[in-house]
Amino acid sequence: MDDAPIGIFDSGVGGLTVARAISAQLPRESMLYIGDTARSPYGPQPIADVRRYSLEILDSLVDQGVKMLVIACNTASAAMLRDARERYDVPVVEVIGPAVRTAMSTTRNGRIGVIGTAGTIGSGAYQDMLEVNARLTVFAQACPRFVEFVEAGVTDSPEVLAVAEEYLAPLRHSDVDTLVLGCTHYPFLEGAISYVMGPDVSLVSSDTETAKDVYRQLVGRDLLAGPDAVARHVYEATGDSAAEFLRLAHRLMGREVSEVQLVQTGAIDLPARPTASAPSPTPARGRLT
C-alpha cells in the first residue's frame, strides 16, 4: 500500500478530464495536478521546447514525492515519453497507448481518424501505433483551434461548430467509423465533434482508458492507497491568475476544483538525471497542503 499522491501533468486544463476519471475509479487516491498554463498551448511549439517544459514539470512532481506520473497531455507524451520512463524511478502512464488500444478494438471497417494538436499529429505517434495493425487505415487531422476554444471556456458557440465542420470534413469524407480524440482538451468539445461526425462514428477519448491503465499499474505494483486513506486533491498552475484557472475549471467541470496554487517555472538542470536524446518528429511524490 502507498498513500502518496499520483502526479498528473498537462499543458493546461485538459488533463482535468483524466484527473476526474482517475478519481472516479480510484476514490481513495490522492492527486497532485499541475497545469502548465503559463506556456499553454503546447501543440504549436517546437518539440524540443515541449520536451524541456514537460521534464521540468515532471521533475517537480517527482521531487514532491508522487508515486506515479500521469502525462495527461498528448503533445507531451509524443515528445518525451521515452525520456520520462528512462529518467524516473516511478511508473509513468500516458494517454496515447490506452486510446490506441480502444480504437483498435472499436473500429468495424478498419478506418480510424485521429485528431490532435499540430505537435501530436506531426509526431506521428498515433499513426505509428495504429498502423502496426496492417488492416487499419489511419487518417490524421490537426485541429489547433480546439485547444484555444477550451482554454477560453468556449465550448458551445456557433464558431466552435463552424471550425469543427472545417477541420472534420476530410475525416467524414474518408468514411472513418472511429475517431480518436488525441488531446485531453477535446472531450470538452465532444458535442460539436459528435454532431459533425454523425451518429455512426464512435468517439474514443483517452481519459477513462488512461484511468484504467493507472488502476492496472497501481494494483500490479502494490501501490494502491490503503483502505483508510483519505484522498486529497491539490491543483497547481504555472500561470499568473489562480482566479482564471478556477473560473475555467468550474465552467468545464463544475465545482470539483475548489482551490488552485500558483507555482513558478524556471530553467532546470536536465543533466541532473540521465536522459535519452529528444525524439525527432516524423511526418504525416506530491506536495499536499
Side-chain angles (χ1 to χ4, degrees):
M1 299 296 179
D2 192 329
D3 293 345
I6 298 167
I8 304 174
F9 154 64
D10 184 52
S11 62
V13 299
L16 292 174
T17 59
V18 176
R20 178 172 57 186
I22 293 172
S23 180
Q25 294 191 30
L26 295 158
R28 289 198 300 268
E29 297 294 336
S30 293
M31 294 186 295
L32 173 57
Y33 179 99
I34 298 183
D36 193 11
T37 50
R39 298 176 293 204
S40 180
Y42 279 7
Q45 302 194 49
I47 196 168
D49 289 345
V50 171
R51 175 183 176 274
R52 179 168 58 87
Y53 300 158
S54 302
L55 291 175
E56 179 181 331
I57 300 295
L58 294 181
D59 276 0
S60 173
L61 286 169
V62 170
D63 289 344
Q64 293 182 70
V66 300
K67 64 182 177 183
M68 169 182 282
L69 292 169
V70 179
I71 307 174
C73 175
N74 287 263
T75 304
S77 293
M80 43 64 72
L81 175 60
R82 181 181 302 174
D83 290 342
R85 286 182 169 158
E86 293 179 356
R87 186 177 179 85
Y88 306 115
D89 293 330
V90 298
V92 180
V93 172
E94 47 79 39
V95 290
I96 296 177
V100 164
R101 291 191 293 270
T102 301
M104 285 181 170
S105 64
T106 299
T107 185
R108 304 174 303 280
N109 67 3
R111 302 173 72 82
I112 296 177
V114 178
I115 56 176
T117 66
T120 298
I121 298 303
S123 74
Y126 275 99
Q127 299 94 305
D128 291 346
M129 291 183 71
L130 287 164
E131 289 172 349
V132 168
N133 187 328
R135 78 178 184 89
L136 300 180
T137 304
V138 182
F139 304 86
Q141 175 68 45
C143 304
R145 292 193 64 194
F146 280 178
V147 171
E148 296 174 13
F149 283 130
V150 172
E151 293 284 346
V154 179
T155 59
D156 56 359
S157 71
E159 186 181 7
V160 169
L161 193 58
V163 171
E165 291 273 7
E166 177 184 351
Y167 283 153
L168 301 176
L171 299 175
R172 194 174 62 247
H173 297 152
S174 298
D175 194 31
V176 301
D177 74 347
T178 302
L179 180 65
V180 177
L181 308 187
C183 176
T184 50
H185 288 68
Y186 293 2
F188 292 117
L189 302 177
E190 191 167 340
I193 294 169
S194 179
Y195 177 81
V196 171
M197 295 304 297
D200 295 330
V201 176
S202 299
L203 303 187
V204 174
S205 178
S206 58
D207 49 1
T208 55
E209 303 308 319
T210 299
K212 294 174 186 176
D213 210 18
V214 169
Y215 185 95
R216 285 190 291 266
Q217 291 264 6
L218 292 179
V219 170
R221 297 170 182 263
D222 195 25
L223 291 175
L224 281 174
D228 298 324
V230 177
R232 301 181 66 191
H233 297 172
V234 173
Y235 301 90
E236 297 181 348
T238 62
D240 56 8
S241 174
E244 179 61 21
F245 184 96
L246 284 175
R247 181 197 66 78
L248 184 53
H250 291 165
R251 171 165 168 60
L252 296 173
M253 299 184 64
R255 307 297 296 185
E256 293 182 35
V257 181
S258 60
E259 181 182 4
V260 63
Q261 304 170 21
L262 295 182
V263 295
Q264 298 300 313
T265 61
I268 59 171
D269 183 12
L270 288 179
R273 293 184 179 90
T275 63
S277 58
S280 300
T282 57
R285 261 182 191 241
R287 182 177 64 246
L288 300 183
T289 60

